[in-house]
């Protein structure tokens, strides 16, 4: 009995039932009544047609690579973090997979999680970008674009985003030179286009002009000095304290308070680190302000976030703090631990 389906051994042929029995026919046999002139192209026109099609496909591919936004297939509140194959589960969870599946898109809209996500993006830009899959790298750039757009709209958190973009641009400059060595996924033209977008975002952030509020109510300068000093004590970055002191002479005087800078040093650095960088003035006083900036160049700051990712050591689930996961009812709270951005990355280094 003849083979009635598409025969892989004879491509382009098919079986047709005739009065004389089953016969093999080709596309040429079916179209033998078509005028031969329809298919008579000269060699030059054929080559031009092929080259035009190839150029059109290349332009379309480049356009898709540069402009297409990868949809967020997963917006999960928690995920399993498994580091090996078992009978119940095959494979393992990577940093790129966790970055794709966790709901970072909504996290950047939450004020409590914004700084956490920005710090995580910065750490990935420094050393982990080549370890991400192609989808995760595209997702990274899409989330970064949303972060920049949020800062442009709200005119807040401008400095950390500038530092993030600068870190990413420096890393990409080094990685693009190693294209072809499995460093970055995709065409080099696509990454050059993304670097151009980073430069454009930096220009937009530099051109931000914060306007004074139109309300004529009470402002910071109208408060008593004790309240102003109390507000300054809530700032955890010395650069913000210096910027606030440049608003007016009265705030400038409060920003030089030695106790204020002493608390900043003791908050971010250990006693041992402070003792190694002691600076004494001519009058015998400790220069806490100068010590703070000197310590900042030598040691990392203490990181504190309103909301972080947590990891359950009982069921190996990664989740946001205010999100319930399957074993919440039976799992004691001591089995969960908060993860800093660096802890999140170290979780997948196995």
């Amino acid at each position: 009995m003849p083979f009635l389906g598409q025969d892989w051994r004879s491509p382009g042929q098919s079986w047709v039932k005739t009065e004389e029995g089953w016969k093999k026919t080709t596309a040429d046999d079916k179209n033998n009544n078509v005028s031969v002139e329809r298919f008579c192209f000269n060699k030059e026109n054929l080559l031009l047609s092929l080259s035009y099609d190839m150029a059109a496909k290349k332009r379309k591919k480049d356009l898709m690579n540069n402009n297409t936004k990868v949809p967020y297939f997963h917006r999960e509140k928690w995920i399993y973090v498994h580091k090996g194959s078992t009978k119940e589960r095959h494979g393992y969870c990577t940093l790129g997979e966790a970055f794709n599946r966790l709901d970072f898109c909504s996290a950047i809209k939450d004020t409590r999680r914004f700084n956490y996500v920005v710090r995580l993006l910065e750490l990935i830009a420094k050393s982990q970008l080549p370890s991400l899959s192609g989808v995760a790298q595209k997702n990274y750039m899409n989330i970064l674009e949303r972060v920049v757009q949020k800062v442009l709209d709200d005119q807040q958190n401008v400095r950390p985003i500038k530092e993030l973009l600068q870190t990413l641009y420096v890393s990409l400059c080094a990685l693009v030179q190693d294209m072809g060595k499995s460093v970055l996924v995709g065409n080099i033209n696509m990454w050059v286009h993304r670097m151009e977008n980073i430069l454009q975002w930096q220009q937009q952030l530099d051109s931000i002009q914060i306007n004074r509020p139109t309300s004529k109510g009470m402002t910071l300068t109208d408060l008593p000095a004790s309240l102003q000093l109390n507000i300054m004590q809530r700032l955890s970055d010395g650069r913000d304290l210096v910027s606030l002191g440049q608003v007016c002479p009265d705030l400038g005087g409060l920003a030089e308070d030695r106790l204020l800078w002493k608390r900043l040093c003791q908050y971010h650095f250990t006693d041992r680190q402070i003792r190694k960088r002691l600076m004494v003035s001519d009058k015998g006083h400790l220069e806490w302000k100068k010590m703070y900036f000197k310590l900042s160049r030598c040691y990392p700051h203490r990181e504190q976030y309103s909301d972080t990712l947590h990891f359950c050591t009982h069921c190996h689930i990664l989740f946001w703090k205010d999100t319930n996961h399957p074993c919440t009812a039976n799992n004691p709270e001591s089995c969960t631990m908060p993860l800093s951005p660096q802890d999140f990355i170290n979780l997948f280094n196995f």
Side-chain angles (χ1 to χ4, degrees), residues 115-116 119-120 123 303 305 339-346:
N115 290 331
Y116 184 89
R119 177 58 177 166
L120 180 60
L123 292 177
E303 297 181 2
Y305 305 98
L339 297 179
S340 66
Q342 186 62 54
D343 294 334
F344 173 82
I345 293 178
N346 293 338

Side-chain angles (χ1 to χ4, degrees), residues 15-288:
W15 290 92
V16 177
K17 187 176 182 181
T18 64
E19 296 178 357
E20 300 176 358
W22 291 91
K23 291 185 177 181
K24 285 184 179 181
T25 59
T26 62
D28 295 335
D29 296 333
K30 293 181 181 180
N31 301 327
N32 55 2
N33 295 326
V34 181
S35 176
V36 179
E37 296 180 356
R38 181 178 176 182
F39 301 98
C40 291
F41 296 103
N42 57 46
K43 184 177 181 180
E44 182 180 359
N45 291 336
L46 181 60
L47 292 176
L48 289 176
S49 177
L50 291 175
S51 62
Y52 175 79
D53 293 339
M54 292 177 62
K57 290 181 180 179
K58 185 178 185 303
R59 287 195 299 269
K60 183 177 180 181
K61 182 178 180 181
D62 291 341
L63 182 63
M64 292 289 288
N65 288 335
N66 291 335
N67 298 331
T68 301
K69 299 294 181 288
V70 177
Y72 295 93
F73 298 105
H74 302 280
R75 291 189 178 182
E76 303 176 12
K77 301 296 183 182
W78 54 265
I79 62 171
Y80 286 102
V81 179
H82 41 96
K83 300 183 179 181
S85 298
T86 62
K87 293 182 179 179
E88 295 80 12
R89 188 183 298 112
H90 294 281
Y92 55 90
C93 184
T94 62
L95 175 62
E97 182 181 356
F99 188 78
N100 281 334
R101 294 176 59 189
L102 283 173
D103 190 11
F104 288 105
C105 183
S106 300
I108 61 178
K109 301 177 183 179
D110 192 334
T111 306
R112 301 170 302 167
R113 301 174 181 173
F114 182 82
N115 290 331
Y116 184 89
V117 176
V118 170
R119 177 58 177 166
L120 180 60
L121 293 176
E122 184 178 2
L123 292 177
I124 292 177
K126 286 182 178 179
S127 60
Q128 299 297 323
L129 194 60
S131 66
L132 302 181
S133 63
V135 175
Q137 290 177 0
K138 285 187 177 181
N139 194 22
Y140 178 94
M141 298 302 300
N142 290 335
I143 293 179
L144 178 62
E145 182 178 1
R146 294 200 174 193
V147 169
V148 174
Q149 190 59 46
K150 184 179 187 304
V151 172
L152 292 175
D153 295 339
D154 300 343
Q155 295 186 345
Q156 298 178 2
N157 301 303
V158 178
R159 185 191 299 121
I161 304 305
K162 285 184 178 180
E163 295 175 353
L164 168 60
L165 293 179
Q166 182 62 25
T167 301
L168 179 59
Y169 186 81
V170 172
S171 298
L172 289 179
C173 287
L175 293 174
V176 166
Q177 297 177 1
D178 295 331
M179 290 295 289
K181 301 179 182 179
S182 300
V183 177
L184 292 174
V185 181
N187 193 326
I188 187 173
N189 296 327
M190 176 182 64
W191 286 102
V192 171
H193 177 77
R194 289 172 176 173
M195 293 174 67
E196 293 175 352
N197 286 339
I198 294 175
L199 293 177
Q200 183 179 0
W201 294 337
Q202 289 178 329
Q203 294 176 357
Q204 292 176 354
L205 292 174
D206 291 336
S207 61
I208 287 181
Q209 295 182 355
I210 300 178
N211 300 323
R212 288 182 174 273
T214 56
S215 61
K216 298 182 180 180
M218 182 176 292
T219 62
L220 179 63
T221 55
D222 298 329
L223 297 176
S226 58
L227 290 179
Q228 293 175 352
L229 189 60
N230 193 6
I231 293 175
M232 289 182 175
Q233 292 175 356
R234 303 295 190 273
L235 300 178
S236 60
D237 194 331
R239 294 172 297 180
D240 294 333
L241 196 59
V242 172
S243 299
L244 185 59
Q246 296 174 351
V247 174
C248 66
D250 294 337
L251 292 177
L254 292 176
E256 297 295 330
D257 184 73
R258 294 178 60 255
L259 183 59
L260 199 63
W261 291 99
K262 178 181 178 180
R263 290 180 177 178
L264 268 182
C265 291
Q266 294 175 342
Y267 175 77
H268 287 289
F269 311 107
T270 64
D271 293 339
R272 183 178 180 181
Q273 293 172 344
I274 294 175
R275 287 195 299 268
K276 288 183 178 181
R277 308 291 174 178
L278 289 178
M279 300 179 66
V280 184
S281 64
D282 297 335
K283 298 180 180 180
H285 301 298
L286 291 176
E287 297 283 355
W288 289 105

